[in-house]
Each structure stands twice: as C-alpha cells, then as structure tokens.
Amino acid sequence: IPSMPWYLSPLIYSLRRPQHSSAGHLLLASSPSSSGSMSTHRTTSSSAAKQHHDETVRSTYETYVKYHHEKSSKTDEVGKKLGYAHGRDFSMFRRVDKTGVIYATTRAREHGFTAEDPQWANMGQGAPETGDLDGAPERSFNLTIEPDDVEYAPNTGIPELREKVANYYNHLYRQGKDSQYTADNVCIVPGGRAGLTRIMAILDHTQVGFFSPDYTAYEQALGLFMRITPSVYLHRDVNEALMSPEEFEFQTVGRGIGAVLLSNPANPTGQSLEGETLHQYVRIARKHNVALIMDEFYSHYYYDGTNTSPLDGGADDDTNWPKTVSSAVHIVDI
C-alpha cells in the first residue's frame, strides 16, 4: 500500500512473518510425497497465504484510516456548530494520529478494556500483572521529600545520580579500558520521547537515517524540527529485520547521512545487533563521522545463559545472566 504511513509498518511486519512461516510449516506437515504434487501444493499454499496476508494488511490499514477519519469528522462537526464556515476550529493545530500501543489501547478502551479487568490482557507493553513475586525484596511505597528538593533540579539530572549511572556503565562495559564514563557523559531524562526530543533539538541541518519497522515515536520526534530531514533505510529483503554492516555502510554513505537513530534490541521486532555486527556498526559510524543514536531501552531484556547470578551481567555474553547488549562496549575514546 504505497500511501501507508511508515509508522504502521511494525503492525504490518508482525502480520507478515507469521503468515509466511506458518504456510511453510503446514506445507511440510501435510504435503504428499510426490515431488510433483508437492510443487503444486507449495504454489497453492504460498498463493493462498499471500492473498490472506494482503487482505489482512488492507483491512488493518482501512480500519486505522477509518478510525482517525471519524475522529476528524467529530472535530469538524463541533467547528460547524461554533459557526466556522469550513468546520475547522483552531485550525492552527494539526491532527496527530495515534500510533503503536497508544492506538491499540485506545481502541481497546472503547470496547471496554481496563487494566483491572481480568478478562483483558494487554499484550502490547510487556508488563504482565504478576502481583508480588515469591522471595522478592520488599518494595518501598513511601517517599520523603526534603524542603531543599522542591527546587528546580539541574536540567541534566542531579550529579550524584549521573555519577552512579556512569559507574554502572563502566562496570558493565568499560572494564580494562583507558577511557571511562563520568557524570559529564550522562543526562537524566523523564522518558524516552523526552530524551529523543532533546537529542533532535541539538542536531543541526542534517539527514537522520532510521529503520522501518522501528519504535513508532521516532516518526514524531523526527518530524518536529525543520533542520532534520528523515531518511528511511530500505531493506532489500523485507522479511529480514537486521541489515548487514556492508549494506548499512552503503546506504549511510550513499544517502549522505549525518546521524542514525535506531533501537537495539529493536522495538517491535526484538531483533538485536550484537557482537561483531554491532562492533562494525560503531566502526562504520566512526569512520564516516556519523552520529549513531542508539536507543538501548531493552538492552537488559535478555534471558539467555544458565548462570543465575545477576551481580555481573554478561555484556554481550550468552554464558551469563542477565545478558546485556550496548554499543558502549565498542566506544574507543569517550
């Protein structure tokens, strides 16, 4: 669908892959032994799967467009009642479409969803309602605020917290390296979107590359500043979520990219740049003087390995738990 907003692609992507993989699985389980029959069955199964996939994508997109069109129509009706000739009140504002989890949960609430209702399960935010865990440390629900703490804090965060974050990263990723993080390398932000907006605000006139699918907030962040020209990296194989370092370098240099914004591990695909592949991404960015903006919110969401001691989580190490992945391990000179 050429006119499909790119920020719907995570949903389309999640629909695409299971259809193809399930078709292949069913083919292996039910195909006749004859090679000729198998070939015919394969073509029929693939064609049916593709048709079903296309219909699902079209239906999903039409539902999305219809939802926002209806919301816009309600706004226009209010404007006409107020006497605006074209039905547009406050036309200096633009309509911002809901994306990702916000869109899904908004639709769900219209059908009765609440977080307290056990008949519903929110599968979009990775936050299952487990209640208290057996053997977990006691949690504190009280907070004491001293009079001095009501002042405006430094806009980069209090120095003590920034120093703790720097030490934590040095412990995980910089052991044995001459260059170490300090509080000057850390900025505390009140959330992912706020942090992204701060970074976008300090970029000068440049092209910012990003991948699709990726975190839906990127579309909004990249569209806030006229100095920034968003540039989508194209996957030659749409079913491959990861791009090879060679292809990454080819597109980065060819597009004249000044900065690249990506989540790692990726939201929503869960794919992760690790080991030598991640090292090569960092090397390529350094070689071509490109700012690599790595959103590593899910860097600790790994459950590999057999070691159950969380004291020294393995940095990009499948033998330790919890495994973590960060580009910080490949930085040469901080």
Side-chain angles (χ1 to χ4, degrees), residues 67-81 87 89 110:
Y67 172 82
H68 287 97
H69 175 74
E70 291 175 349
K71 295 298 181 182
S72 297
S73 298
K74 291 180 180 179
T75 303
D76 293 344
E77 291 174 5
V78 172
K80 290 177 181 179
K81 291 180 180 179
D89 55 330
E110 293 175 355

Side-chain angles (χ1 to χ4, degrees), residues 102-116:
I102 304 302
Y103 169 65
T105 52
T106 300
R107 292 294 311 280
R109 287 191 180 93
E110 293 175 355
H111 290 80
F113 163 71
T114 64
E116 298 80 15

